[in-house]
Amino acid sequence: MIEINKAAVIGAGTMGLGIAGQLANAGVEVLLLDLPSPESSRNAICERALERLMDKNQPGLLHETYLQRITIGNIEDDFDKLADADWIAEAVVERLDIKKALYRRIDSVRKQGSIVSSNTSTIPISLLVEDMPESFRAEFAITHYFNPVRFMRLLEIVRGASTKPEVIDALEQFNDVHMGKGIVVCNDTPGFLGNRVGVFAIQTALHSAFRLGLKPEEADAVFGRPMGIPKTGVFGLYDLIGIDLMSDVASSLVSILPEGDAFHQVSAEIPLMKRMIEEGYTGNKSTKGGFYRLQNPTDSTSKETLDFTNFTYRQYDAEKPAQALAAEAASDFTLLLEDQGKLGQYAWEILSNTLVYAAELIPDVNESLVAVDDAMKLGYNWIQGPFEMIDAMGIDAFIARLEESGQNVPAFLRTAAGRSFYRVVNGNLEYLLADGSYRILDRGPGIIRFSERRRTLAPQLENEVASYFTLPEEVGLIEFHSKANTLDAQSMELIEGAVRHATKHCRTLVIHNDAQHFSCGVNLDSVLKLIQTQDWDGIDQFLAHFQQTVLALKLAPIPVIAAPSGLSLGGGFEVVLHSDKVIFHANSVTGLVESLVGVVPGGGGVKEMLYRWAEIKGDTTKGAWEAFRNVGYGKTARSPLEAEPLAMFRPNIDRFIMNRDRLLDTAIKVGLEMAADYSPTPRGTLQMAGGDAWQEMTDWLRKTQAKGYLTPHDVTTGTQIAMIVTGGDIPEGTEMNESDIFALERKAFVILAKTAETRARVEHMLTFGSPLRN
């Protein structure tokens, strides 16, 4: 196997910089080169690129210290340094002549056995290497990443006619394990898979919306979460990426796709959008806005929409019929197709055309339907791939409706008639091949996607929001599956039952799901209902139930392993905090953010942070101050490395891995290793900081408010957090145990829930998805 210990990236634009950053995240020394600059510094282009890599809103590095792994230079002064690289990734402008000239220079300096790849998405590999010697062609491939490279999971690898198998093997292995990518090996066809299907779906949604006269709000309500794709919808996505850039993407596909390809039917220029680009209305990056804009950039409630009839902005309209249909179809996208109006017609046009387009790619563009489904799930964040969606609709029903509407039925769809694209046989998940036979879906050693594994299992326990399964080797697994995986009383009931079952029948218990986020916290809707009805006893009872449930996890006689990815916030992170070990995904976002909605972590979060900080500091008072600040500010970490200084990641106990597809397998192995000689470790008592420290914290809050850094309700909330971490008005050194601190959490939560300010914060978060500063 070719080992990759040193790498080089040529091109410090968006993609090249992202690749370099992820290589640094993978622990590799990286040389980043671009053109020399006429400025005083010859490496000015790369210097500015590194500044972008450290963007606080979307950093390309897991931790700022990883910047030390990147060395910068330029292709005139530093080209010879490429001789040290095991892998040279080219990410320069999409011009064949420039790439060819660059490859000739690379081949003159690179070491024998090194790999060279291109990030191109438009130029066939046959053209890229047509003038190169066989030795170069044998070690060349296309590695097409998706932007942003750190966060997007898909990597499309294209082998050339001469590419050695060991080159593809090395790229697959390294990018899987170290770069955290889901690999799709593609044929050398235009657009490969992700962009070909993804952009087709977006363009279909765009053109159908204009043809049917839909407002942006209507279209985005349908072409979004109800279809299991990102919530931006089509108009929001154009704004996010840039209307001009998205238009360029569509134009590039027009130039490379064959004449008869269906993409050409949805690629025509839209006059309104041409005007928007010409006048600078290019989306979020423009001060003028795009299809949407915020009248006040700091106020999420000031959203406006471009009125297509008079090219002026109007107040954003929630479009109740569209929102109602979207809500109805939230758990079953096929309900969109039952609507008899233009919204149902819109949904059918998008789905039927996109799914037919995907089916037409089998087997000529790619022999595997799994590759197409993976490309859309990993590259475009679809919850289901095209063939999974057809299965959900029913293949025969889908074919019948296509025939009824006079649409083409691809041969691969005909092959599947009377069957399904995926099926379970003898406990194995199989998928359909173009010749009509089935093959077992085998992801390879160490890779488990629970969304696939669960199809072969029957839950031991299940309710609307969570399920519990037993896996081979006596492993129990808890899965959350509510909206955003929020937690409520039913979640706690399921965990309770799972702990009881697992302690009798399993050697370890894993908490994991294959959704976008592990858990976004406690269900605020249920909390708001209790506040509105002034059911303070109900709040206290729910919190007590939550606390005792997570404590049962911590005190279970078998090891409990959490394996989170995406967001683990609030109550979701409190579940994580009470696990014996945590196997984090590298991009996990963690934090106790309850103060942002005017409450405190009431499920043991404050308690756990106090215990951790007291242990780290060796002093309860010093630990109380750290917990007070971190919980009070609702601090979050965007990687386990950022979480470490916040005591949310324990490097001597917890682990993180780059590929989220390897989370579950790793968690199972860790749990089974611990099971041999495991016994739980209950918390002891703490000597609390007491009333003087509480007073000091409240004084600090008032002084900080006077400086303009805190709002009045920040002070109110912070005072309650200070009460918990110090014990309140008690003598210094008073001993408290976990149950005592649990009681303080519940007390503080109820006190805050009774305030009008907290109610306003909760309502604002539910309505607008952003904190209210009051």
Side-chain angles (χ1 to χ4, degrees), residues 196-209 211-212 223 227 261-263 265-266 337 344-361 382 386 390 393 398 401-402 405-410 413:
R196 188 160 181 178
V197 178
V199 179
F200 178 86
I202 293 166
Q203 289 298 111
T204 300
L206 181 73
H207 280 259
S208 293
R211 190 179 60 77
L212 293 170
F223 185 69
M227 287 190 184
D261 194 276
F263 185 86
Q265 299 171 18
V266 292
L337 305 178
Q345 182 183 353
Y346 180 58
W348 171 250
E349 286 189 8
I350 297 169
L351 287 171
S352 62
N353 285 297
T354 300
L355 302 182
V356 164
Y357 190 73
E360 288 175 337
L361 302 181
W382 289 19
I390 297 174
M393 297 166 68
F398 183 55
R401 187 161 178 180
L402 288 173
S405 58
Q407 292 173 265
N408 175 53
V409 180
L413 263 181

Side-chain angles (χ1 to χ4, degrees), residues 41-239:
S41 171
R42 297 270 288 172
N43 300 330
I45 294 175
C46 287
E47 290 168 358
R48 287 193 292 268
L50 294 186
E51 293 176 5
R52 299 198 308 274
L53 196 64
M54 301 305 295
D55 180 0
K56 292 183 179 180
N57 294 321
Q58 195 176 64
L61 297 177
L62 294 173
H63 196 272
E64 60 185 11
T65 57
Y66 283 12
L67 193 64
Q68 299 170 3
R69 295 173 177 168
I70 303 176
T71 301
I72 61 173
N74 66 78
I75 60 172
E76 284 188 7
D77 303 333
D78 305 290
F79 206 79
D80 288 347
K81 295 178 182 177
L82 294 176
D84 294 330
D86 303 308
W87 174 21
I88 302 167
E90 169 267 304
V92 302
V93 64
E94 291 285 83
R95 276 184 50 184
L96 183 59
D97 58 332
I98 292 177
K99 291 178 185 290
K100 282 185 171 184
L102 180 61
Y103 297 158
R104 286 190 287 271
R105 290 188 65 197
I106 291 173
D107 200 35
S108 69
V109 299
R110 75 183 183 98
K111 65 182 179 182
Q112 184 179 358
S114 63
I115 297 171
V116 182
S117 73
S118 173
N119 189 62
T120 184
S121 61
T122 60
I123 304 175
I125 195 170
S126 56
L127 293 180
L128 290 172
V129 297
E130 61 183 352
D131 300 326
M132 298 302 297
E134 178 64 24
S135 58
F136 183 90
R137 295 200 299 268
E139 293 167 342
F140 183 88
I142 288 175
T143 49
H144 179 222
Y145 293 90
F146 281 65
N147 184 43
V149 178
R150 174 183 165 186
F151 298 100
M152 296 306 295
R153 297 168 63 192
L154 178 62
L155 170 64
E156 295 178 321
I157 296 180
V158 183
R159 63 163 56 92
S162 301
T163 309
K164 294 187 295 189
E166 52 265 40
V167 167
I168 301 300
D169 291 344
L171 288 172
E172 285 195 68
Q173 173 71 12
F174 180 82
N175 278 279
D176 165 10
V177 175
H178 300 287
M179 298 280 276
K181 300 304 172 186
I183 312 298
V184 171
V185 178
C186 300
N187 295 334
D188 191 18
T189 56
F192 311 139
L193 288 179
N195 282 346
R196 188 160 181 178
V197 178
V199 179
F200 178 86
I202 293 166
Q203 289 298 111
T204 300
L206 181 73
H207 280 259
S208 293
F210 275 103
R211 190 179 60 77
L212 293 170
L214 296 180
K215 299 175 183 177
E217 297 96 326
E218 292 177 303
D220 287 352
V222 174
F223 185 69
R225 280 177 172 162
M227 287 190 184
I229 61 179
K231 65 180 181 179
T232 54
V234 59
F235 291 103
L237 181 64
Y238 256 83
D239 275 356

Side-chain angles (χ1 to χ4, degrees), residues 4 15 128 144 154 194 305 346 441 452 502 585 623 672 685 738:
I4 298 173
M15 294 307 301
L128 290 172
H144 179 222
L154 178 62
T305 309
Y346 180 58
L441 177 52
E452 296 168 351
H585 179 231
L672 292 175
T685 60
E738 287 185 278

Side-chain angles (χ1 to χ4, degrees), residues 384-440:
Q384 292 180 293
F387 296 99
E388 292 171 321
M389 297 180 81
I390 297 174
D391 272 352
M393 297 166 68
I395 290 176
D396 291 348
F398 183 55
I399 291 175
R401 187 161 178 180
L402 288 173
E403 292 176 335
E404 181 182 338
S405 58
Q407 292 173 265
N408 175 53
V409 180
F412 188 45
L413 263 181
R414 296 283 189 197
T415 300
R419 299 188 288 176
S420 61
F421 288 116
Y422 294 90
R423 71 178 188 182
V424 176
V425 176
N426 298 325
N428 293 312
L429 182 61
E430 300 180 340
Y431 64 96
L432 185 68
L433 301 176
D435 63 7
S437 64
Y438 282 90
R439 178 182 295 166
I440 292 175

